[in-house]
Amino acid sequence: MIIKNNETQFGLVSKLIHWLMAGLFIALIAIALYMDYLPRSPEKFEFFALHKALGVLALVSVFARIVWHRVSQVPAPIAEGFKLKLAHLGHIALYLLMLVMPISGALMSVSGGHDINFFDWFVISGFSEKSEGLNEITGLIHHYGSKALYVVLVGHIAAALYHHFIVKDDTLKRITSK
């Protein structure tokens, strides 16, 4: 198994980052959707705390992924022309939303006067005086960003499955197998 990327395949580090982040974002989405149906209760606030802590982890992971992408070789693209441009735009949208969601969520929390406890390792303190304007703006960004993220993720998954089952190229294999 290769550790680093090469001209045809992603290495172990890229694969681990990709799949750990996929699991992390799936968990964040599942928790968010579940919290929407919970009544105001201690259980709901525990899920909020978990969602916020995982959001901080997601933000750190996105930065790690960006750094790794910049310092490691990227395999040559399989697609060309319009499909390559579409894939590129999809990845830009995905990275942008993976940054916007945790940043807007954290700003929404702290501007609302709420702390972010990162698994009892450290706490990002909420503003001593709530900022209603910032809280409202970041809340809207987080809300509508989540809808955009769902669309982009579905598109990302659909494109991977399309390449694997219809085009039958190595797009999906490059991030999953040896």
Side-chain angles (χ1 to χ4, degrees), residues 64-118:
R65 185 174 183 158
I66 291 169
V67 168
W68 179 251
H69 184 75
R70 292 288 171 222
V71 300
S72 63
Q73 178 181 10
V74 178
I78 292 176
E80 42 187 50
F82 177 73
K83 286 182 183 179
L84 181 59
K85 288 182 182 180
L86 194 59
H88 185 66
L89 287 173
H91 282 109
I92 289 171
L94 193 55
Y95 275 89
L96 182 64
L97 288 164
M98 288 189 304
L99 287 168
V100 165
M101 290 307 296
I103 291 170
S104 64
L107 286 172
M108 180 176 56
S109 185
V110 297
S111 67
H114 305 288
D115 294 345
I116 300 171
N117 183 333
F118 187 75

Side-chain angles (χ1 to χ4, degrees), residues 2 21 23 27 50 59 62 68 70 73 81 91 93 104-105 124 128 141 143 148 151 157 170-171 175 177:
I2 60 168
M21 287 191 65
L50 177 60
L59 184 59
V62 172
W68 179 251
R70 292 288 171 222
Q73 178 181 10
H91 282 109
S104 64
I124 301 169
S128 55
I141 292 169
H143 174 77
V151 170
I157 294 165
D170 288 340
T171 299
I175 199 72
S177 38

